[in-house]
Amino acid sequence: MKGEPVMAKHYKTLSRRRVLASTGAGTAAALLGFPSIVRAQAKELVVGGAAGFALWMNGTVSAAFEAKYKTKIVYEGTKSLVNLEKMQKNKDKQYLSVVMMDDPVMILAVKEGLLEKLTPAMVPNLAKLRPGTVHMDGMWANYLQPWQGIAYNTKSLPGGFPSWADCYDPKFKGRLVIPSLQNTEGLANLVMAAALETGKPIEQAQFDIDAGFKKIKTLKPNLLTVYTQIPQALNLLEQGEAWAIPSMFSSNVIPKEKESPMKMSAPKEGIFVGPAGICLVKGGPNQEMALALIDMLLSADMQDTLQPETFAFPSNTAAKPPLGLAADVKVYNLDWGFVAKERGEWVKRWDREMAI
Protein backbone atom coordinates (compact mmCIF):
# COMPACT_ATOMS: atom_id res chain seq x y z
CA MET A 1 0.00 0.00 0.00
CA LYS A 2 1.30 3.41 -0.86
CA GLY A 3 2.15 5.53 2.13
CA GLU A 4 3.21 2.46 4.00
CA PRO A 5 6.72 2.84 5.55
CA VAL A 6 9.45 1.68 3.13
CA MET A 7 12.25 -0.49 4.45
CA ALA A 8 15.83 -0.23 3.29
CA LYS A 9 17.11 -3.19 1.30
CA HIS A 10 19.38 -4.43 4.08
CA TYR A 11 16.43 -4.78 6.44
CA LYS A 12 14.96 -7.37 4.10
CA THR A 13 18.31 -9.12 4.04
CA LEU A 14 18.41 -9.05 7.83
CA SER A 15 14.95 -10.58 8.09
CA ARG A 16 15.79 -13.40 5.69
CA ARG A 17 19.16 -14.06 7.29
CA ARG A 18 17.49 -14.23 10.66
CA VAL A 19 15.10 -16.85 9.33
CA LEU A 20 17.89 -18.88 7.75
CA ALA A 21 20.16 -18.65 10.76
CA SER A 22 17.55 -19.55 13.33
CA THR A 23 15.61 -22.26 11.55
CA GLY A 24 17.81 -23.82 8.91
CA ALA A 25 17.30 -23.57 5.16
CA GLY A 26 14.60 -26.25 5.00
CA THR A 27 12.41 -24.65 7.63
CA ALA A 28 13.08 -21.23 6.12
CA ALA A 29 11.59 -22.49 2.88
CA ALA A 30 8.49 -23.56 4.80
CA LEU A 31 8.20 -20.12 6.35
CA LEU A 32 8.51 -18.42 3.01
CA GLY A 33 5.68 -20.26 1.30
CA PHE A 34 5.81 -24.02 1.85
CA PRO A 35 3.82 -24.64 5.06
CA SER A 36 3.19 -28.28 4.12
CA ILE A 37 6.78 -29.10 5.02
CA VAL A 38 6.95 -30.42 8.57
CA ARG A 39 8.24 -27.72 10.88
CA ALA A 40 10.73 -28.31 13.65
CA GLN A 41 9.36 -28.42 17.16
CA ALA A 42 11.36 -25.40 18.29
CA LYS A 43 9.20 -22.84 20.11
CA GLU A 44 8.74 -20.03 17.66
CA LEU A 45 6.06 -17.69 16.41
CA VAL A 46 5.90 -16.53 12.80
CA VAL A 47 4.70 -12.94 12.46
CA GLY A 48 3.95 -10.99 9.29
CA GLY A 49 4.22 -7.22 9.29
CA ALA A 50 5.48 -4.11 7.55
CA ALA A 51 9.00 -4.23 6.22
CA GLY A 52 9.92 -1.01 8.01
CA PHE A 53 9.09 -2.54 11.40
CA ALA A 54 11.81 -5.21 11.13
CA LEU A 55 14.40 -3.44 13.30
CA TRP A 56 12.26 -3.04 16.40
CA MET A 57 10.33 -6.30 15.91
CA ASN A 58 13.59 -8.26 15.55
CA GLY A 59 15.17 -6.22 18.34
CA THR A 60 13.22 -4.78 21.27
CA VAL A 61 10.03 -6.83 20.86
CA SER A 62 11.74 -10.14 20.12
CA ALA A 63 14.12 -9.77 23.06
CA ALA A 64 11.31 -9.00 25.52
CA PHE A 65 9.04 -11.74 24.20
CA GLU A 66 11.70 -14.44 24.16
CA ALA A 67 12.85 -13.52 27.66
CA LYS A 68 9.31 -13.75 29.04
CA TYR A 69 7.88 -16.66 27.07
CA LYS A 70 10.96 -18.57 25.85
CA THR A 71 9.50 -18.37 22.37
CA LYS A 72 11.33 -16.93 19.37
CA ILE A 73 9.68 -14.50 16.96
CA VAL A 74 10.37 -15.11 13.28
CA TYR A 75 9.43 -11.84 11.59
CA GLU A 76 8.54 -11.63 7.89
CA GLY A 77 8.61 -7.99 6.84
CA THR A 78 6.75 -7.03 3.68
CA LYS A 79 3.65 -5.05 2.59
CA SER A 80 0.10 -5.41 3.92
CA LEU A 81 -1.25 -6.80 0.65
CA VAL A 82 1.54 -9.40 0.53
CA ASN A 83 0.63 -10.52 4.06
CA LEU A 84 -2.98 -10.83 2.94
CA GLU A 85 -1.90 -12.94 -0.03
CA LYS A 86 0.06 -15.27 2.26
CA MET A 87 -3.02 -15.87 4.41
CA GLN A 88 -5.16 -16.44 1.33
CA LYS A 89 -2.79 -18.99 -0.19
CA ASN A 90 -2.36 -20.88 3.06
CA LYS A 91 -5.96 -20.71 4.28
CA ASP A 92 -6.19 -24.49 4.77
CA LYS A 93 -2.93 -24.65 6.71
CA GLN A 94 -1.74 -21.31 8.01
CA TYR A 95 1.84 -20.83 9.11
CA LEU A 96 1.53 -17.19 10.19
CA SER A 97 0.16 -16.71 13.70
CA VAL A 98 0.03 -12.92 14.00
CA VAL A 99 -0.18 -10.35 11.22
CA MET A 100 0.25 -6.57 11.37
CA MET A 101 -1.41 -4.73 8.46
CA ASP A 102 -3.07 -1.47 7.45
CA ASP A 103 -6.74 -1.25 8.45
CA PRO A 104 -8.15 -1.24 4.87
CA VAL A 105 -6.39 -4.55 4.22
CA MET A 106 -7.66 -5.91 7.54
CA ILE A 107 -11.19 -5.32 6.25
CA LEU A 108 -10.45 -7.51 3.23
CA ALA A 109 -9.04 -10.23 5.51
CA VAL A 110 -12.19 -10.17 7.65
CA LYS A 111 -14.41 -10.53 4.58
CA GLU A 112 -12.48 -13.64 3.57
CA GLY A 113 -12.71 -15.21 7.03
CA LEU A 114 -8.96 -15.12 7.67
CA LEU A 115 -8.98 -13.53 11.15
CA GLU A 116 -10.01 -14.72 14.59
CA LYS A 117 -11.97 -12.32 16.78
CA LEU A 118 -10.15 -10.91 19.82
CA THR A 119 -11.81 -10.36 23.19
CA PRO A 120 -10.57 -8.84 26.49
CA ALA A 121 -10.66 -12.32 27.99
CA MET A 122 -8.12 -13.44 25.37
CA VAL A 123 -6.17 -10.16 25.26
CA PRO A 124 -6.58 -8.19 28.52
CA ASN A 125 -5.02 -4.99 27.14
CA LEU A 126 -7.77 -4.81 24.52
CA ALA A 127 -9.97 -3.22 27.20
CA LYS A 128 -7.42 -0.47 27.82
CA LEU A 129 -7.27 1.01 24.33
CA ARG A 130 -8.44 4.41 23.11
CA PRO A 131 -11.90 4.61 21.51
CA GLY A 132 -11.74 3.90 17.81
CA THR A 133 -8.73 1.58 17.99
CA VAL A 134 -10.63 -1.73 18.25
CA HIS A 135 -12.35 -2.56 14.98
CA MET A 136 -15.27 -4.68 13.77
CA ASP A 137 -16.11 -5.87 17.28
CA GLY A 138 -12.60 -7.11 17.96
CA MET A 139 -11.41 -8.51 14.63
CA TRP A 140 -8.26 -6.40 14.99
CA ALA A 141 -6.84 -3.56 17.06
CA ASN A 142 -4.43 -0.69 16.50
CA TYR A 143 -1.19 -0.64 18.45
CA LEU A 144 1.43 2.07 17.75
CA GLN A 145 0.16 4.40 15.05
CA PRO A 146 2.39 6.80 13.10
CA TRP A 147 0.78 10.19 13.54
CA GLN A 148 0.20 12.78 10.86
CA GLY A 149 0.64 16.50 11.31
CA ILE A 150 2.47 19.10 9.27
CA ALA A 151 6.17 18.81 8.55
CA TYR A 152 7.87 22.15 8.03
CA ASN A 153 11.25 23.69 7.30
CA THR A 154 12.46 25.46 10.44
CA LYS A 155 14.56 27.98 8.49
CA SER A 156 11.64 29.05 6.33
CA LEU A 157 9.08 28.92 9.13
CA PRO A 158 10.81 29.49 12.48
CA GLY A 159 7.42 30.08 14.09
CA GLY A 160 6.15 26.63 13.17
CA PHE A 161 2.87 25.68 11.53
CA PRO A 162 0.09 26.06 14.13
CA SER A 163 -3.04 25.32 12.10
CA TRP A 164 -4.24 23.19 9.19
CA ALA A 165 -6.18 26.26 8.00
CA ASP A 166 -2.87 28.11 7.44
CA CYS A 167 -2.22 25.87 4.42
CA TYR A 168 -4.62 28.05 2.46
CA ASP A 169 -2.82 31.34 3.26
CA PRO A 170 -1.59 33.00 0.01
CA LYS A 171 1.83 33.51 1.60
CA PHE A 172 2.51 29.84 0.86
CA LYS A 173 2.10 30.27 -2.90
CA GLY A 174 4.20 27.55 -4.59
CA ARG A 175 5.68 26.42 -1.26
CA LEU A 176 3.60 23.46 -0.14
CA VAL A 177 4.02 19.80 -1.04
CA ILE A 178 1.17 17.38 -0.41
CA PRO A 179 0.77 13.63 -0.87
CA SER A 180 -1.31 12.20 -3.67
CA LEU A 181 -4.53 10.53 -2.64
CA GLN A 182 -2.88 7.32 -3.81
CA ASN A 183 -0.83 7.55 -0.60
CA THR A 184 -2.43 6.60 2.70
CA GLU A 185 -1.24 9.83 4.30
CA GLY A 186 -2.98 11.88 1.61
CA LEU A 187 -6.44 11.21 3.00
CA ALA A 188 -5.99 13.48 6.03
CA ASN A 189 -5.64 16.57 3.84
CA LEU A 190 -8.92 15.81 2.08
CA VAL A 191 -10.77 15.22 5.34
CA MET A 192 -9.36 18.37 6.90
CA ALA A 193 -10.40 20.31 3.79
CA ALA A 194 -13.96 19.00 4.27
CA ALA A 195 -13.92 20.14 7.91
CA LEU A 196 -12.69 23.62 6.97
CA GLU A 197 -15.26 23.93 4.18
CA THR A 198 -18.28 22.78 6.20
CA GLY A 199 -17.39 23.72 9.77
CA LYS A 200 -18.34 20.19 10.82
CA PRO A 201 -16.33 18.22 13.38
CA ILE A 202 -13.75 16.02 11.70
CA GLU A 203 -15.63 12.88 12.76
CA GLN A 204 -18.54 14.03 10.58
CA ALA A 205 -16.67 15.96 7.89
CA GLN A 206 -14.78 12.84 6.78
CA PHE A 207 -17.97 11.64 5.09
CA ASP A 208 -18.52 14.90 3.16
CA ILE A 209 -15.95 14.29 0.46
CA ASP A 210 -17.57 16.63 -2.08
CA ALA A 211 -16.92 19.49 0.31
CA GLY A 212 -13.36 18.26 0.75
CA PHE A 213 -12.68 18.39 -2.96
CA LYS A 214 -14.30 21.81 -3.26
CA LYS A 215 -11.96 23.22 -0.62
CA ILE A 216 -8.75 21.44 -1.50
CA LYS A 217 -8.92 22.58 -5.12
CA THR A 218 -8.42 26.12 -3.81
CA LEU A 219 -5.06 24.97 -2.42
CA LYS A 220 -3.58 24.46 -5.91
CA PRO A 221 -1.91 27.92 -6.17
CA ASN A 222 0.05 27.10 -3.01
CA LEU A 223 1.34 23.77 -4.30
CA LEU A 224 4.90 23.21 -5.44
CA THR A 225 4.12 19.61 -6.28
CA VAL A 226 2.03 16.56 -5.37
CA TYR A 227 4.11 13.52 -4.46
CA THR A 228 3.73 9.78 -4.46
CA GLN A 229 7.27 9.07 -3.19
CA ILE A 230 8.02 10.28 0.34
CA PRO A 231 11.82 10.67 -0.09
CA GLN A 232 11.24 13.08 -2.98
CA ALA A 233 8.97 15.23 -0.81
CA LEU A 234 11.34 15.23 2.16
CA ASN A 235 14.24 16.27 -0.06
CA LEU A 236 12.29 19.31 -1.26
CA LEU A 237 11.47 20.22 2.34
CA GLU A 238 15.01 19.73 3.61
CA GLN A 239 16.48 21.87 0.81
CA GLY A 240 13.99 24.66 1.54
CA GLU A 241 12.29 24.58 -1.86
CA ALA A 242 9.17 23.51 0.00
CA TRP A 243 8.25 25.16 3.28
CA ALA A 244 5.82 22.56 4.56
CA ILE A 245 4.24 19.16 3.90
CA PRO A 246 0.73 18.91 5.33
CA SER A 247 -0.22 15.38 6.37
CA MET A 248 3.23 13.83 6.66
CA PHE A 249 3.93 10.80 8.89
CA SER A 250 5.84 11.51 12.11
CA SER A 251 8.07 8.47 11.63
CA ASN A 252 9.52 9.98 8.44
CA VAL A 253 10.49 13.32 9.98
CA ILE A 254 11.17 13.07 13.72
CA PRO A 255 14.27 10.83 13.36
CA LYS A 256 15.77 13.53 11.10
CA GLU A 257 14.93 16.56 13.24
CA LYS A 258 18.35 16.80 14.95
CA GLU A 259 20.33 16.71 11.72
CA SER A 260 18.15 18.65 9.31
CA PRO A 261 15.96 21.79 9.28
CA MET A 262 12.76 19.72 9.40
CA LYS A 263 10.30 19.44 12.26
CA MET A 264 6.82 18.04 12.89
CA SER A 265 3.97 20.27 14.00
CA ALA A 266 0.81 19.08 15.74
CA PRO A 267 -1.73 21.71 14.58
CA LYS A 268 -4.28 23.06 17.03
CA GLU A 269 -7.14 21.19 15.31
CA GLY A 270 -5.46 17.88 16.10
CA ILE A 271 -3.51 15.07 14.44
CA PHE A 272 -4.45 11.99 12.47
CA VAL A 273 -3.10 8.53 13.20
CA GLY A 274 -2.18 5.86 10.69
CA PRO A 275 -4.07 2.60 10.23
CA ALA A 276 -1.62 0.23 11.94
CA GLY A 277 -3.46 -2.93 13.01
CA ILE A 278 -2.60 -6.25 14.59
CA CYS A 279 -4.65 -9.44 14.35
CA LEU A 280 -4.81 -13.13 15.17
CA VAL A 281 -4.68 -15.39 12.11
CA LYS A 282 -7.58 -17.85 12.06
CA GLY A 283 -6.22 -21.38 12.22
CA GLY A 284 -2.68 -20.19 12.78
CA PRO A 285 -0.32 -22.26 14.94
CA ASN A 286 0.61 -21.62 18.56
CA GLN A 287 -2.37 -19.38 19.32
CA GLU A 288 -1.55 -19.12 23.01
CA MET A 289 1.76 -17.42 22.23
CA ALA A 290 0.13 -15.42 19.44
CA LEU A 291 -2.32 -13.92 21.91
CA ALA A 292 0.52 -13.23 24.34
CA LEU A 293 2.39 -11.27 21.69
CA ILE A 294 -0.69 -9.25 20.72
CA ASP A 295 -1.30 -8.44 24.38
CA MET A 296 2.32 -7.37 24.82
CA LEU A 297 2.19 -5.02 21.83
CA LEU A 298 -1.04 -3.50 23.14
CA SER A 299 0.41 -2.92 26.62
CA ALA A 300 1.34 0.54 27.87
CA ASP A 301 4.80 -0.68 28.93
CA MET A 302 5.74 -1.95 25.48
CA GLN A 303 4.26 1.04 23.70
CA ASP A 304 6.28 3.37 25.94
CA THR A 305 9.42 1.29 25.37
CA LEU A 306 9.02 1.41 21.61
CA GLN A 307 8.34 5.13 21.45
CA PRO A 308 11.99 6.18 20.82
CA GLU A 309 12.16 3.71 17.92
CA THR A 310 8.76 4.19 16.29
CA PHE A 311 7.90 7.86 16.95
CA ALA A 312 4.27 6.75 16.82
CA PHE A 313 1.15 7.44 18.84
CA PRO A 314 0.15 4.77 21.41
CA SER A 315 -3.30 3.20 21.51
CA ASN A 316 -3.19 2.20 25.19
CA THR A 317 -4.72 4.96 27.32
CA ALA A 318 -2.10 4.46 30.04
CA ALA A 319 0.83 4.96 27.64
CA LYS A 320 2.59 8.28 27.39
CA PRO A 321 2.03 10.54 24.35
CA PRO A 322 5.02 10.88 22.03
CA LEU A 323 7.67 13.39 23.04
CA GLY A 324 6.68 16.88 21.95
CA LEU A 325 2.94 16.23 21.87
CA ALA A 326 0.61 17.58 24.53
CA ALA A 327 -1.18 15.02 26.67
CA ASP A 328 -4.52 16.45 25.58
CA VAL A 329 -3.78 16.53 21.83
CA LYS A 330 -6.83 15.66 19.72
CA VAL A 331 -6.34 12.41 17.86
CA TYR A 332 -8.43 11.32 14.87
CA ASN A 333 -8.90 7.87 13.37
CA LEU A 334 -10.51 7.77 9.95
CA ASP A 335 -13.38 5.41 9.17
CA TRP A 336 -11.29 2.97 7.15
CA GLY A 337 -14.31 0.92 6.15
CA PHE A 338 -15.72 3.98 4.41
CA VAL A 339 -12.31 4.74 2.92
CA ALA A 340 -11.88 1.22 1.57
CA LYS A 341 -15.25 1.37 -0.13
CA GLU A 342 -14.86 4.79 -1.75
CA ARG A 343 -11.14 5.38 -2.22
CA GLY A 344 -10.90 4.07 -5.79
CA GLU A 345 -13.30 6.72 -7.05
CA TRP A 346 -11.65 9.41 -4.94
CA VAL A 347 -8.27 8.68 -6.54
CA LYS A 348 -9.75 9.00 -10.03
CA ARG A 349 -11.36 12.29 -9.07
CA TRP A 350 -8.11 13.51 -7.51
CA ASP A 351 -6.21 12.77 -10.71
CA ARG A 352 -8.76 14.77 -12.70
CA GLU A 353 -9.19 17.74 -10.41
CA MET A 354 -5.83 18.18 -8.66
CA ALA A 355 -3.43 18.09 -11.61
CA ILE A 356 -1.01 21.02 -11.45
Side-chain angles (χ1 to χ4, degrees):
M1 169 166 291
K2 296 200 179 204
E4 185 173 10
V6 177
M7 179 185 74
K9 182 176 180 182
H10 73 277
Y11 290 179
K12 294 182 180 178
T13 304
L14 174 63
S15 179
R16 182 173 177 83
R17 283 177 180 169
R18 182 176 288 274
V19 170
L20 293 173
S22 63
T23 64
T27 303
L31 297 180
L32 296 174
F34 301 96
S36 59
I37 296 176
V38 177
R39 294 173 55 79
Q41 295 303 308
K43 292 182 67 177
E44 62 183 32
L45 192 70
V46 187
V47 178
F53 298 167
L55 280 183
W56 52 267
M57 280 299 299
N58 286 328
T60 303
V61 175
S62 289
F65 191 75
E66 189 168 353
K68 185 172 183 178
Y69 296 105
K70 312 305 178 190
T71 299
K72 183 177 183 60
I73 292 174
V74 178
Y75 186 72
E76 295 188 5
T78 182
K79 296 182 179 180
S80 290
L81 287 172
V82 175
N83 283 317
L84 176 66
E85 184 178 336
K86 290 178 181 180
M87 289 189 286
Q88 291 169 329
K89 288 184 176 180
N90 297 297
K91 188 171 184 178
D92 294 334
K93 191 173 182 181
Q94 300 285 5
Y95 75 97
L96 291 167
S97 296
V98 174
V99 169
M100 304 151 78
M101 302 188 296
D102 286 352
D103 289 13
V105 184
M106 289 286 193
I107 294 169
L108 299 177
V110 172
K111 289 180 178 178
E112 296 195 28
L114 298 171
L115 309 186
E116 194 77 52
K117 180 180 176 180
L118 303 172
T119 68
M122 300 159 65
V123 182
N125 278 305
L126 201 69
K128 303 176 184 178
L129 304 186
R130 286 186 287 106
T133 57
V134 179
H135 301 276
M136 297 184 76
D137 199 29
M139 296 306 295
W140 79 92
N142 298 131
Y143 51 109
L144 283 164
Q145 301 172 285
W147 60 272
Q148 294 168 254
I150 299 177
Y152 65 96
N153 184 292
T154 56
K155 293 181 179 179
S156 304
L157 299 171
F161 212 110
S163 171
W164 290 93
D166 292 341
C167 295
Y168 295 85
D169 191 315
K171 71 180 181 182
F172 291 113
K173 183 177 180 179
R175 292 297 187 176
L176 300 183
V177 174
I178 63 172
S180 164
L181 213 60
Q182 296 179 42
N183 292 44
T184 299
E185 71 270 22
L187 293 160
N189 281 325
L190 187 60
V191 170
M192 182 52 66
L196 293 172
E197 177 67 20
T198 64
K200 295 177 181 177
I202 290 172
E203 297 89 343
Q204 299 174 21
Q206 66 177 311
F207 302 110
D208 198 342
I209 295 302
D210 285 340
F213 273 103
K214 180 181 178 181
K215 178 67 174 179
I216 206 166
K217 282 191 292 186
T218 68
L219 188 63
K220 290 171 71 171
N222 286 2
L223 298 182
L224 173 64
T225 190
V226 176
Y227 75 84
T228 56
Q229 300 298 320
I230 289 176
Q232 171 200 17
L234 292 179
N235 183 60
L236 291 171
L237 184 65
E238 188 170 10
Q239 298 304 316
E241 294 182 58
W243 290 359
I245 307 176
S247 192
M248 177 54 74
F249 279 122
S250 58
S251 53
N252 292 315
V253 176
I254 294 177
K256 305 176 187 293
E257 286 185 348
K258 291 183 179 180
E259 57 196 46
S260 71
M262 298 190 296
K263 191 173 180 64
M264 283 296 294
S265 171
K268 64 181 182 181
E269 297 91 346
I271 61 174
F272 294 82
V273 287
I278 188 167
C279 65
L280 177 67
V281 179
K282 188 173 184 178
N286 205 355
Q287 290 208 350
E288 182 180 359
M289 287 296 96
L291 291 170
L293 176 62
I294 293 171
D295 195 55
M296 177 179 281
L297 282 168
L298 296 180
S299 71
D301 285 346
M302 180 54 72
Q303 291 184 6
D304 284 343
T305 299
L306 287 173
Q307 181 56 233
E309 298 180 68
T310 62
F311 310 100
F313 204 89
S315 59
N316 193 301
T317 56
K320 301 173 184 176
L323 189 65
L325 287 182
D328 61 349
V329 64
K330 296 176 183 177
V331 182
Y332 299 104
N333 285 290
L334 297 183
D335 185 321
W336 292 104
F338 178 66
V339 170
K341 181 181 177 182
E342 304 291 342
R343 187 175 180 182
E345 292 303 314
W346 297 347
V347 171
K348 293 178 184 177
R349 184 173 177 180
W350 178 276
D351 291 341
R352 291 195 308 268
E353 300 182 15
M354 290 300 292
I356 58 173

